[in-house]
Amino acid sequence: DVQLQASGGGLVQRGGSLRLSCAASAASGFTFDDYAVGWFRQSPGKEREAISCISEVDGTTFYADSVKARFTISADNAENTVYLQMNNLKLEDTAVYYCAASWSLRCGNKALVGVSTTYDYWGQGTQVTVSS
């Protein structure tokens, strides 16, 4: 059974940085280079929002306008981990962040990046809180 583990969240001041990690359980034999990996976030009272995606298969990435130029997604195949580097954090970035993996998705397909049912596996979420 594939399990994704999202980590790296925490409390940070406005303008600060955090790096989130999404790792797959080694025992599963799962490798990210076969999947697209998306990062989502959800804050209280709001819908879950897709903010970034990377697909190693075709080398495409996606960023929501709200995080473009501030967040960077990357994959380390040796570590079997996908990272989300978040810089210049804003108060509105406060949310629970989730990673998810999809066998069929290519991140250049913007119409599907934000569709939850596109993804086969989900991590449990990590809280990011940005304070003033």
Side-chain angles (χ1 to χ4, degrees):
D1 187 29
V2 175
Q3 295 186 4
L4 302 181
Q5 179 78 29
S7 62
L11 176 64
V12 63
Q13 286 192 322
R14 182 172 49 194
S17 299
L18 283 174
R19 189 178 74 161
L20 304 185
S21 300
C22 180
S25 55
S28 67
F30 176 94
T31 56
F32 280 120
D33 53 3
D34 295 328
Y35 287 77
V37 177
W39 281 99
F40 289 74
R41 68 185 181 188
Q42 188 168 22
S43 53
K46 294 187 178 181
E47 293 187 357
R48 187 175 298 185
E49 167 191 27
I51 57 171
S52 189
C53 178
I54 185 168
S55 53
E56 293 271 88
V57 173
D58 64 352
T60 54
T61 57
F62 163 85
Y63 295 96
D65 288 343
S66 57
V67 305
K68 202 171 289 184
R70 299 188 298 122
F71 291 10
T72 303
I73 193 168
S74 62
D76 185 331
N77 291 332
E79 296 292 327
N80 208 24
T81 301
V82 170
Y83 299 100
L84 185 68
Q85 178 66 43
M86 307 187 298
N87 297 329
N88 189 23
L89 283 161
K90 303 178 179 181
L91 297 177
E92 53 264 39
D93 293 320
T94 295
V96 178
Y97 285 69
Y98 301 88
C99 63
S102 170
W103 170 264
S104 60
L105 177 66
R106 301 295 178 261
C107 298
N109 189 341
K110 296 179 181 180
L112 290 180
V113 168
V115 177
S116 297
T117 53
T118 300
Y119 296 83
D120 306 297
Y121 306 105
W122 288 83
Q124 85 291 358
T126 185
Q127 175 71 47
V128 172
T129 303
V130 183
S131 69
S132 57

